[in-house]
Amino acid sequence: MKRPSRFNRLALLLCLLLLPLINAHAQKDDPPKIEIGGQFSSLGIRPPNLFEGLFESATNIPSQVEPGFGGRFTYNLNSHFALEAEGNFFPHRNSTDFGTGGRVLQGQFGVKAGQRFKRFGVFGKVRPGFVSFSETETEVGRQTFGTGAQQFTFPIFEPRRKTYLATDVGGVLEFYPSRRIVTRIDAGDTIIRYHNIHLPFFSPAQSPPLTASSTTHNLQLSAGVGFRFLGPASSDDDDKSDANSAEHAPKFELGAQFTSLTFRTTFFRENFMFNTISPLRNTSTELGLGGRFSVNLNDHLALEAEVNFFPRKAAFREAGFRGDGRILQGQFGVKAGKRFEKFGIFGKARPGFVSYETMTEFLGFNPNFNPFGTSSPLILRTGRKTYFSTDLGGVFEFYPSRRILTRFDAGDTLIHYGAQTLPSLLRPFTETMRIPPELSYNLQFSAGVGFRF
């Protein structure tokens, strides 16, 4: 409860300090008034800890990263201050619980303030709004049982839409390839206030239902493109190209990016009743950071090397047998396409690898196993596990100047998982089951900034 109150006071103070900017006289170089754009967004949703106020030992629940997309409308009051409205939709359907569940809809409405330069701008943002879950276990009634003074009630739950207040606080980095186009990268904390969540506990018949509240901090990264219009006429200096823009692109590019990779694999569950093995799908999205180096052979063809690191140490990822822990990715290949004056469109094909920090591999049964000793019945080996991967997709680049570019990648990262042998749970210590090889198709989106020299 304390964090939101301190934050609200800070947000109010920031707005009061920025009010004088609203009445600032519009200058000749003010940006166009209206911006309309679209973006890709990754939101790391951390479910509420409903028992943090009930049990001393309650711990935080790991976050679930959700990839989504949305749109944004901005009204520029002047070069320093803007009003914004943004909506995002996260289509992955999560399992239902008492605080979250289903697909997610987000809306944020607030202010952006900062400094705008000729080719780029740096801003802070404070945007209240909401986050809405389509399928949350919600109390719809109560059932009473017992007699006399020993009557108790139990809540009845059904999946319903549940909406919570949220506040987006963070920073914005913009680049201006031309006066009418803006590329934008957002990073911030989406603070969600979960309130009045009914808990599935028995209670005396006449007592109010047990409820819980919680506030979570959720990392959100977004990247997109916008179009600007309805503004002062552009000057010759704004729209004309740099003196060397008509020449070939610089030879080398060095850049950094954030990336979102959705891992999709199949794991297998043994059915004890029918003595069968059933395949099930598993999906997990991870956020990462990385770097890239490119050599432009000419205006149409480039050689590239890219490395990404996914820092979240998640246990039992891909059902445990593909790999756990932090992930390292490397892709090395070619980019080919068409480069224009202010932007470029390319395709890419980059072989490489995806490496899991740790994996426990089953090697066989221990012939010297003694049930009364300390040895294990299984022979296991634990270590890093690396798989071959291929990155296929498209690249969209914008050139605010000859030396700077912003880049958006979207594609399919194919991961080649090999066959594996696991001990059978149906017949422990005597038989094994074989996991067949798999070619997994995994959506990956990246956005970043590069320098050309």
Side-chain angles (χ1 to χ4, degrees):
M1 295 296 292
K2 293 182 179 179
R3 286 183 177 176
S5 61
R6 288 200 301 267
F7 166 74
N8 290 336
R9 291 196 295 269
L10 179 61
L12 178 60
L13 177 60
L14 177 61
C15 293
L16 291 175
L17 292 175
L18 294 174
L19 281 177
L21 294 175
I22 299 178
N23 298 320
H25 180 68
Q27 301 296 322
K28 180 181 178 180
D29 59 350
D30 276 354
K33 291 295 183 183
I34 305 296
E35 293 179 13
I36 296 179
Q39 70 276 338
F40 170 87
S41 186
S42 290
L43 176 59
I45 300 175
R46 187 179 298 278
N49 187 349
L50 302 182
F51 306 104
E52 60 183 351
L54 300 177
F55 303 105
E56 293 292 335
S57 60
T59 58
N60 289 328
I61 304 173
S63 61
Q64 173 68 38
V65 179
E66 294 298 334
F69 55 89
R72 175 179 49 83
F73 176 84
T74 301
Y75 182 79
N76 293 309
L77 299 172
N78 52 48
S79 292
H80 305 282
F81 192 81
L83 304 178
E84 295 194 324
E86 179 178 308
N88 295 303
F89 176 63
F90 302 88
H92 179 243
R93 185 179 180 184
N94 286 295
S95 59
T96 299
D97 58 38
F98 296 99
T100 64
R103 300 178 175 90
V104 182
L105 183 65
Q106 177 191 26
Q108 306 293 159
F109 316 91
V111 297
K112 178 187 74 173
Q115 179 64 45
R116 193 185 305 267
F117 303 92
K118 180 179 179 181
R119 295 298 185 185
F120 69 95
V122 181
F123 304 88
K125 59 177 180 177
V126 178
R127 305 188 303 185
F130 66 88
V131 170
S132 182
F133 298 89
S134 65
E135 298 177 27
T136 300
E137 290 292 348
T138 305
E139 183 176 335
V140 296
R142 306 183 78 186
Q143 182 177 1
T144 301
F145 58 93
T147 59
Q150 300 299 319
Q151 288 187 339
F152 289 86
T153 63
F154 187 79
I156 301 173
F157 290 88
E158 289 183 4
R160 299 286 177 87
R161 176 171 291 279
K162 190 66 178 292
T163 301
Y164 306 100
L165 294 176
T167 304
D168 173 29
V169 183
V172 179
L173 181 60
E174 296 181 344
F175 290 91
Y176 314 118
S178 72
R179 184 168 177 79
R180 300 300 179 185
I181 296 177
V182 56
T183 61
R184 170 169 170 158
I185 299 175
D186 290 44
D189 182 7
T190 299
I191 305 171
I192 303 177
R193 172 60 177 168
Y194 296 94
H195 60 89
N196 197 31
I197 300 176
H198 289 197
L199 300 178
F201 293 153
F202 291 96
S203 61
Q206 303 302 321
S207 65
L210 293 174
T211 61
S213 297
S214 178
T215 298
T216 65
H217 296 263
N218 311 273
L219 174 66
Q220 185 165 10
L221 301 173
S222 302
V225 180
F227 300 92
R228 311 191 295 176
F229 50 95
L230 295 182
S234 60
S235 64
D236 293 338
D237 292 337
D238 287 333
D239 282 339
K240 74 178 183 179
S241 303
D242 290 342
N244 297 322
S245 64
E247 299 178 2
H248 295 299
K251 190 73 171 177
F252 302 104
E253 295 176 9
L254 184 63
Q257 70 275 337
F258 80 83
T259 185
S260 169
L261 178 55
T262 300
F263 295 87
R264 300 179 184 275
T265 60
T266 302
F267 68 97
F268 296 82
R269 177 175 295 172
E270 293 180 284
N271 191 314
F272 289 87
M273 181 176 296
F274 298 101
N275 196 25
T276 59
I277 301 176
S278 303
L280 298 174
R281 299 294 296 176
N282 183 67
T283 301
S284 173
T285 300
E286 299 296 331
L287 287 178
L289 301 172
R292 176 181 49 81
F293 179 76
S294 301
V295 178
N296 293 312
L297 302 178
N298 52 49
D299 281 347
H300 305 285
L301 185 66
L303 302 179
E304 295 193 324
E306 179 177 309
V307 176
N308 296 306
F309 177 63
F310 301 87
R312 191 174 73 130
K313 190 173 183 179
F316 305 110
R317 183 189 283 114
E318 317 308 349
F321 62 83
R322 293 303 190 189
D324 291 331
R326 302 177 179 91
I327 298 175
L328 183 66
Q329 177 193 22
Q331 306 294 159
F332 315 91
V334 298
K335 178 187 74 173
K338 178 66 173 177
R339 194 186 306 270
F340 301 92
E341 181 180 327
K342 291 296 183 181
F343 67 94
I345 302 175
F346 305 88
K348 60 177 179 177
R350 307 187 303 184
F353 65 87
V354 169
S355 182
Y356 292 87
E357 182 180 29
T358 182
M359 173 190 169
T360 300
E361 187 174 2
F362 170 71
L363 302 180
F365 296 108
N366 185 359
N368 300 319
F369 170 65
N370 181 355
F372 301 101
T374 59
S375 61
S376 170
L378 307 178
I379 302 175
L380 304 174
R381 180 177 60 192
T382 301
R384 177 172 291 277
K385 184 65 175 180
T386 301
Y387 302 97
F388 178 75
S389 65
T390 304
D391 174 27
L392 302 175
V395 179
F396 201 14
E397 297 179 345
F398 288 92
Y399 312 118
S401 70
R402 178 170 171 76
R403 298 299 178 185
I404 298 177
L405 80 149
T406 57
R407 168 169 169 157
F408 303 93
D409 290 45
D412 187 0
T413 299
L414 285 69
I415 304 178
H416 303 257
Y417 294 108
Q420 292 178 255
T421 300
L422 297 178
S424 174
L425 298 179
L426 297 176
R427 296 177 178 84
F429 314 136
T430 59
E431 294 188 8
T432 62
M433 65 176 183
R434 183 178 183 274
I435 306 300
E438 178 185 5
L439 178 60
S440 175
Y441 298 86
N442 311 277
L443 173 65
Q444 185 165 13
F445 180 87
S446 302
V449 180
F451 301 92
R452 311 191 292 177
F453 53 95

